[in-house]
Amino acid sequence: MTLTREQKLELYYYMRLTRSLEERLVNLYRQTKVIGGLFRSLGQEADAVGAAYALDKSKGDILSPLIRNLGSMLVRGATPVEVIRQYMAKGDSPTKGKELNIHFGNIERGFIGQISHLGDMVPVMAGVTLTFKMRREDRVGLVYVGDGATSTGAFHEGINFAAVQRCPLVVVVENNGYAYSTPTTRQTAAAAFIDKAIGYGIPGERADGNDVLAVYDVTKRAVDRARRGEGVTLIELMTYRRKGHAEHDNQSYVPPGEIERWERDNDPITRYIDVLRNAERVSADEFAAIDARVQQEVDEATDLAEQSPMPEPQEALREVYADPPEIAPLWFRGDVRSAVTEHERPSSWGTYDG
Ligand SMILES: Cc1ncc(C[n+]2csc(CCOP(=O)(O)OP(=O)(O)O)c2C)c(N)n1
Ligand SMILES: [Mg+2]
């Protein structure tokens, strides 16, 4: 399937939105309005957006993002106001202050909440896609991992299990050169991460991660294979992390000139603007209209999020367990238990007094 001009412009919109939203979050972070860390995907927007775009919303495909995949959640319908509220731990954020940054999910919109432990989403998505297969559903799953995550046991066990079971799963390794301060050369002795695919008996494909159309194409091929029942594909996207692990990291371990080189020669948005100008004859006015729309959406989302209340203390106990326990456990006594008023306490908790 080739993308229409409209879809190609939509890819530009999502990359722009990802970047502008993160820039706004930096602003809020510096005003100390963000709770916790701030994780950027500067220079990697094409990976998250291009790969997510290759999934089919109408079929119920599901992806699992990591901290550098905000763009994939936006493609799946996460809204800027949800993201800003979540970063600010507001009471009306998706997790109502119980989680931070982009740690939230929404099954209906096709993205699931991430586990921080590197690699752990691979076995989770192996399970999700095994379910698709057992129920004979025409659905595909996609899991993003970083180069660092490939060194974990969970990555190995998850991808091996999914390969053996021929689960409809796409594993995207975002090779951005670093895992915190560890360069890729210290992460693996393999020449390329896709070489690992041989060991699992699955196809591996590498693509330029800063070329959004190449990312879309390679992922679409893998999604199609998965949907045809041909199992797992390992994709390696070559990109570069232009910011530190998080906003607090000053990247003192990065060789001089490296970041500047990637910014100057290989920015995914700048490169894509050239492609759209030349191949699709997109005019300056068309770009300006999309940029203005993005700006307005980010501004409106910021205003709304700033007005949002902080969570009520009792919110800490809600939506943590699927069901309230039949008998309140010991730790619901004392201060913590009294955070829930008698009125709000479900009757099923009983009157356990310890
Ligand atoms: C098992 C485990 N070890 C360590 C960490 C701490 N940690 C969080 S992110 C990160 C680096 C991740 O690098 P990579 O997988 O390359 O992803 P990137 O940040 O480059 O996108 C580390 C070490 C963790 N979350 N889980
Ligand atoms: Mg990395």
Side-chain angles (χ1 to χ4, degrees):
M1 191 191 93
T2 49
L3 293 169
T4 63
R5 186 176 191 274
E6 200 184 348
Q7 287 174 314
K8 286 181 182 167
L9 285 175
E10 202 173 31
L11 287 174
Y12 173 76
Y13 160 78
Y14 281 122
M15 286 204 286
R16 232 337 144 212
L17 182 59
T18 307
R19 186 166 295 182
S20 297
L21 186 50
E22 287 185 0
E23 280 167 358
R24 177 58 49 87
L25 286 162
V26 172
N27 226 281
L28 294 165
Y29 182 87
R30 290 183 183 158
Q31 295 173 54
T32 67
K33 290 176 180 169
V34 162
I35 313 285
L38 172 58
F39 305 89
R40 300 283 308 272
S41 64
L42 182 68
Q44 300 180 219
E45 295 89 345
D47 296 0
V49 169
Y53 208 78
L55 292 172
D56 192 335
K57 287 184 195 182
S58 68
K59 289 193 187 292
D61 292 347
I62 288 197
L63 61 82
S64 82
L66 289 178
I67 44 174
R68 268 173 250 294
N69 305 124
L70 167 64
S72 71
M73 293 165 68
L74 296 172
V75 168
R76 272 343 203 43
T79 61
V81 69
E82 282 179 308
V83 174
I84 300 176
R85 281 179 177 145
Q86 181 77 4
Y87 259 107
M88 295 174 82
K90 292 295 183 104
D92 52 2
S93 67
T95 59
K96 305 186 179 78
K98 284 188 281 292
E99 262 284 20
L100 297 171
N101 58 70
I102 54 172
H103 276 251
F104 66 98
N106 187 283
I107 292 283
E108 289 71 34
R109 283 179 279 172
F111 56 96
I112 64 173
Q114 54 190 286
I115 303 172
S116 295
H117 303 81
L118 299 177
D120 277 10
M121 292 314 288
V122 182
V124 169
M125 288 305 288
V128 167
T129 51
L130 181 64
T131 310
F132 294 164
K133 192 176 163 180
M134 289 170 74
R135 291 182 180 162
R136 297 183 195 285
E137 292 173 344
D138 189 25
R139 300 164 80 181
V140 172
L142 182 149
V143 54
Y144 292 94
V145 287
D147 40 284
T150 63
S151 302
T152 63
F155 172 84
H156 166 71
E157 291 176 31
I159 196 167
N160 186 61
F161 180 81
V164 170
Q165 298 292 336
R166 292 177 83 80
C167 294
L169 180 64
V170 180
V171 180
V172 175
V173 176
E174 235 180 330
N175 183 353
N176 63 1
Y178 291 92
Y180 218 124
S181 55
T182 306
T184 311
T185 46
R186 293 261 181 127
Q187 197 64 247
T188 178
F193 287 104
I194 41 162
D195 289 353
K196 295 176 188 247
I198 299 165
Y200 300 117
I202 57 173
E205 280 202 72
R206 202 181 210 190
D208 178 347
N210 286 15
D211 174 349
V212 71
L213 296 179
V215 173
Y216 170 82
D217 281 344
V218 74
T219 315
K220 184 71 170 61
R221 277 197 295 280
V223 168
D224 289 347
R225 267 199 292 275
R227 218 184 296 284
R228 286 197 302 267
E230 293 171 25
V232 185
T233 301
L234 178 63
I235 293 175
E236 179 177 5
L237 299 177
M238 305 305 291
T239 186
Y240 185 78
R241 197 193 70 194
R242 293 212 326 244
K243 283 287 171 184
H245 174 66
E247 208 52 24
H248 63 267
D249 170 8
N250 69 7
Q251 297 170 285
S252 53
Y253 48 85
V254 175
E258 190 177 270
I259 300 167
E260 294 74 12
R261 229 178 10 258
W262 277 85
E263 181 177 6
R264 191 189 59 225
D265 303 335
N266 213 339
D267 180 77
I269 297 185
T270 311
R271 280 179 62 187
Y272 193 46
I273 288 173
D274 278 347
V275 171
L276 290 176
R277 258 199 211 121
N278 298 328
E280 301 293 335
R281 301 271 161 243
V282 176
S283 68
D285 283 351
E286 282 179 285
F287 283 120
I290 296 173
D291 294 353
R293 177 181 159 208
V294 165
Q295 199 54 50
Q296 191 187 345
E297 286 176 2
V298 172
D299 285 347
E300 282 172 10
T302 310
D303 289 345
L304 283 171
E306 294 236 41
Q307 288 158 26
S308 291
M310 291 308 279
E312 296 296 325
Q314 59 265 34
E315 204 50 69
L317 299 179
R318 295 203 189 107
E319 296 173 353
V320 176
Y321 294 99
D323 297 299
E326 275 304 308
I327 297 176
L330 283 174
W331 48 267
F332 274 114
R333 289 189 306 165
D335 290 344
V336 180
R337 186 172 183 169
S338 64
V340 179
T341 64
E342 281 304 308
H343 175 65
E344 288 169 322
R345 189 160 56 108
S347 57
S348 60
W349 280 16
T351 52
Y352 182 70
D353 289 323

